[in-house]
Amino acid sequence: MISRKVYIYNTLSRRKEEFIPVHPGMVGLYVCGPTVYGEPHLGHARPAVTYDVLVRFFRYLGYKVRYVRNITDVGHLEHDADEGDDKIAKKARLESLEPMEVVQTYTIAYHDAMRRLNTLPPSIEPRASGHIIEQIELIKRILDAGFAYESNGSVYFDVPAYNKKYRYGILSGRNIDDMMANTRSLDGTGDKRSPYDFALWKKASPQHIMKWPSPWSEGFPGWHLECSAMSEKYLGEEFDIHGGGMDLQFPHHECELAQNTASRGQGGVKYWMHNNLLTVNGQKMGKSLGNFTTLADLYKVYSPMTIRFFILQAHYRGTLDFSSEALSAAEKGLKRVLQAAKDSKTLSHSGSGANPEIEKLTESVMDALCDDLNTPVALARIFDAVKFVNQAKDGSLRLSDKDFETLAELFDRIVPDVLGLVDEVQASSEEKTVEGLMDMILEVRREAKSRKDFATSDKIRDRLNSLGITIKDTKEGTEWSI
Ligand code: ZN
């Protein structure tokens, strides 16, 4: 039996609530995953690490967790749901690729970047393009319930009609009546009856590549629809937790909630969780600001584990500002924890009884994590444990068998298994082989250069280039990237 009470801040009720699962002992978690049209970047790291710790913590407590995280590979248009190019189709056109080549490339890149952050893979990772039938069925149900209409081959969610029966805006705290009262013209735009309506199905233009047949037109589903369809399919009509970044609250999750309610008479989600966003040197992260840091670039400077530690130092609902100073501090903090974990295994058991200060540490860490996943407080208590290990190391404190038991629970279970902090994620054997070969090749090139055999060193560089490997000579040595 799971005896601990976990409290989660529910965006819907705007307060912390005791977590009571729909099915005893089980957690159904749905998290909005990436739209795979570009290199994974820093913005992907925070939700991935946050929900990874949530999953790990529930499993540690003894829950069976079904963690569903989707891949958006269709229908995410440039301007939210309804307008502009499909992000993936646009990338495909720019790079003369098939859209599914774009999806495959960036899904692999995303998986690799997340694996290095030591995030566990989801239990199910459904793709939007693999669930077109489910999405069409869902549209039919919303149409039958009277909360959608067809217009020129597209289908739109009827927000004013929905708002008459239910309330639209409850998740993001918007009042649609006020919004409508403040809008001069309530005339729809294009095929929409009201400017608040959003697309469930979009008729495709002739040049649009990713399209499917439907009762209404050859087209594609609206972006918000996939998460309603796939969460219901894999977690049921009512499930426990829906997570995502704060930027998804509106319109994405608000629309999801409306779609769920319109089709099945209930919102379907017990707890809505939202992680705050990352800022870079105090500014919101985004491509337009030029602070769009890819994880691949970042990993060259800071280890993925440092980034993970840095993320856990802030509460997931709090702001987190990325700067090189903060990252350097995180690097040092992580080192201290991992060193203490190693030291705790080599210290002598010379004390007796149990040190009450040490004994209560595990309990305090558990309390912090049960309190809406308060990782910064949990880490502060782990640093207390680090302090005790260091005191034992310099001989000013004697540790007993009982103390070592507590420290082992902290350093061998909670730090690696719940917080996911480990020395470094093991590279795959293939990566190790490539790294070994590159070391060897660059050494041969260095030797050629040192005896002024530039023909050989240039030939090595050119051959590597033709394999897609670029090398750069710096003061510290030669850097390479694929
Ligand atoms: Zn979603």
Side-chain angles (χ1 to χ4, degrees), residues 30-33 70 72 223-224 226-227 242 248 252-253 256:
Y30 187 92
V31 175
C32 289
N70 68 306
T72 296
W223 171 42
H224 311 309
E226 63 179 273
C227 293
H242 193 312
L248 295 178
H252 188 54
H253 291 162
E256 242 187 276

